Amino acid sequence: MNGFTLTFLAFLLATSAIHLWLAERQRANVLRHRHAVPEPFRDRIDLAIHQKAADYTSAKMRLEQLDIIVGALFTLAWTLGGGLDMLAGLWAKSGWGGITAGTGLIISALLTMALLDIPMNAYRTFVVEARFGFNRTTLGLYIVDAVKQGVIFLLLGAPLIALLLWLVMHAGGWWWFYGWLVWTAFTLAMFWLYPTLIAPIFNRFIPLQDESLRDRIIHLLERCGFGNGGIFIMDGSKRSQHGNAYFTGFGANKRVVFFDTLLKSLLPDEIEAVLAHELGHFKHGHVRKRLVLVSLGSLAAFAILGILIDAEWFYSGLGVQNISYAAALLLFLLVTPYFTAVFQPFSSYWMRKHEFEADDYAAAQTDARNLIFALVKLYEENAASLTPDRLYSAYHDSHPPAPVRIAHLSSKLAAPSVT
Ligand SMILES: [Zn+2]
């Protein structure tokens, strides 16, 4: 216990309290507007669907609140509760060398955390998602997914952790800078390889080949210089009824992915509009911009870790007596989210700005009306709330809430509306 203990507790309590309060606001706001479909959607969305969205959002907020409390309790158990110190003590007695024992400590701690996460995760999938008719994941698939994730984590994570620990021990005072270079190279490589190497381990990706769409899509792709190919359909229906579309990767590995669930309900005009939106992300270089910001953030994180790793108060303040570099890395991973939560609203704002830019691009390339129709279907199918709380949304949402986004698109419509 020292001054840092109190600082950490203050941040943990404040962050948890704010997150709980925001989730409660969201829940209350959605339930308050449950009785009627909001004006701009009144003739497009049934009351029953609106009420399902309200109930679903409310259930998700309850789950989020539980998650916040359990997460804070786990963090306390690992740190001040002595969980990490106990595990570090076991590895210190193992008799293995520094890097082996350190890698073992980090991997065993992260795997334990993942195992402790399973009950909450399974409850989300098999109880909440299932109650609203969204879940398609079988228990078998759930287990297979977990095993695959574990194997990928071991294959990719273990060498990375060992290399980082080696740098801490042997690269001198600038280890954190080399560590950041390694980390950034790893992140870029993962981002590059993910669409073609990792994602197909979990889902099937088929190139979009629709005769009725083909010419228009090729035209659109030419107009924005995307190159041919790279438009895929993913079998999202394997796990969930939720539908989506996203843009990922860069260079030759860039791709736009449609979930089969979404594609099924969209008309050709609407598919073209959604594709134009995703191409807007490509055109504006959003993926590149985000990668630059993330790597600057991780540079700051490594620089701070470079100081903390040699500070006795950092370990003792968080309940660790068995000091090691591996323990410092784990403590840093555990407590950082509570200190960086203040950046969340800025990051969300920036992401929403990108969504507006991509919507503007789609409105310029296609008829904005088609994107509006597609979005309404997307909100309906995902039971997204049409009446989110302003503060919750400003803090958390990476996409503008439905009414804001549709109002923005409507303002782009060239033709005046007929009254
Ligand atoms: Zn988008």
Side-chain angles (χ1 to χ4, degrees), residues 188-405:
L188 285 179
M190 286 316 300
F191 210 81
W192 164 259
L193 293 174
Y194 186 84
T196 47
L197 217 68
I198 313 258
I201 297 175
F202 297 93
N203 283 98
R204 253 174 17 141
F205 293 83
I206 312 162
L208 174 64
Q209 279 163 336
D210 185 327
E211 292 301 323
S212 64
L213 273 171
R214 221 209 203 110
D215 287 351
R216 271 192 296 186
I217 285 186
I218 288 176
H219 241 77
L220 181 60
L221 293 176
E222 272 170 8
R223 277 209 300 277
C224 63
F226 189 77
N228 221 332
I231 317 290
F232 289 85
I233 307 168
M234 188 188 97
D235 60 342
S237 56
K238 193 171 148 187
R239 294 189 181 79
S240 162
Q241 292 282 27
H242 288 301
N244 208 348
Y246 65 88
F247 170 64
T248 184
F250 54 85
N253 269 2
K254 63 182 182 302
R255 50 175 63 182
V256 173
V257 175
F258 284 93
F259 285 35
D260 55 355
T261 31
L262 175 67
L263 214 50
K264 245 189 351 219
S265 57
L266 295 186
L267 300 170
D269 282 338
E270 296 162 354
I271 296 174
E272 192 188 9
V274 172
L275 179 60
H277 168 94
E278 298 306 331
L279 292 173
H281 285 306
F282 160 71
K283 198 72 186 171
H284 284 283
H286 289 155
V287 165
R288 237 178 314 136
K289 288 178 186 169
R290 283 174 205 180
L291 280 175
V292 169
L293 189 78
V294 165
S295 64
L296 286 177
S298 57
L299 178 62
F302 270 95
I304 294 168
L305 182 60
I307 298 167
L308 295 177
I309 212 162
D310 293 319
E312 197 275 328
W313 54 262
F314 177 61
Y315 298 88
S316 61
L318 294 173
V320 169
Q321 315 304 323
N322 288 291
I323 287 179
S324 69
Y325 294 132
L329 286 177
L330 282 169
L331 285 176
F332 191 72
L333 279 181
L334 278 165
V335 306
T336 301
Y338 292 102
F339 290 94
T340 54
V342 287
F343 298 116
Q344 178 66 42
F346 300 102
S347 143
S348 299
Y349 175 80
W350 198 52
M351 305 275 271
R352 291 197 301 272
K353 192 166 158 278
H354 287 176
E355 294 308 323
F356 283 127
E357 285 171 6
D359 278 352
D360 289 349
Y361 185 81
Q365 296 294 329
T366 61
D367 190 338
R369 250 171 292 238
N370 292 325
L371 187 55
I372 295 178
F373 294 145
L375 283 172
V376 170
K377 283 183 184 170
L378 189 73
Y379 297 137
E380 258 181 326
E381 287 186 5
N382 289 329
S385 170
L386 302 174
T387 57
D389 174 60
R390 199 184 281 252
L391 282 183
Y392 180 90
S393 175
Y395 188 95
H396 285 292
D397 283 352
S398 63
H399 286 65
V404 179
R405 201 167 167 192

Side-chain angles (χ1 to χ4, degrees), residues 62-256:
R62 273 284 180 252
L63 197 61
E64 188 173 312
Q65 291 175 323
L66 188 63
D67 222 5
I68 293 162
I69 294 168
V70 170
L73 290 177
F74 275 153
T75 304
L76 285 172
W78 277 108
T79 53
L80 303 176
L84 182 57
D85 195 42
M86 196 183 72
L87 196 60
L90 290 178
W91 281 100
K93 280 188 223 132
S94 69
W96 277 316
I99 291 176
T100 313
T103 308
L105 170 58
I106 292 180
I107 287 192
S108 56
L110 293 180
L111 283 179
T112 310
M113 289 175 200
L115 285 175
L116 290 171
D117 244 8
I118 286 180
M120 185 69 101
N121 196 292
Y123 180 72
R124 185 191 320 272
T125 304
F126 296 110
V127 179
V128 179
E129 290 290 307
R131 191 196 309 155
F132 291 91
F134 288 125
N135 182 47
R136 297 278 297 262
T137 311
T138 59
L139 187 61
L141 181 62
Y142 188 83
I143 294 168
V144 170
D145 278 353
V147 171
K148 282 180 184 172
Q149 282 162 359
V151 171
I152 293 170
F153 164 69
L154 287 178
L155 288 178
L156 296 172
L160 177 71
I161 292 164
L163 180 55
L164 287 175
L165 287 174
W166 185 86
L167 285 172
V168 185
M169 291 173 195
H170 301 286
W174 285 85
W175 78 263
W176 57 270
F177 185 71
Y178 306 124
W180 172 72
L181 288 179
V182 166
W183 176 259
T184 304
F186 177 79
T187 314
L188 285 179
M190 286 316 300
F191 210 81
W192 164 259
L193 293 174
Y194 186 84
T196 47
L197 217 68
I198 313 258
I201 297 175
F202 297 93
N203 283 98
R204 253 174 17 141
F205 293 83
I206 312 162
L208 174 64
Q209 279 163 336
D210 185 327
E211 292 301 323
S212 64
L213 273 171
R214 221 209 203 110
D215 287 351
R216 271 192 296 186
I217 285 186
I218 288 176
H219 241 77
L220 181 60
L221 293 176
E222 272 170 8
R223 277 209 300 277
C224 63
F226 189 77
N228 221 332
I231 317 290
F232 289 85
I233 307 168
M234 188 188 97
D235 60 342
S237 56
K238 193 171 148 187
R239 294 189 181 79
S240 162
Q241 292 282 27
H242 288 301
N244 208 348
Y246 65 88
F247 170 64
T248 184
F250 54 85
N253 269 2
K254 63 182 182 302
R255 50 175 63 182
V256 173

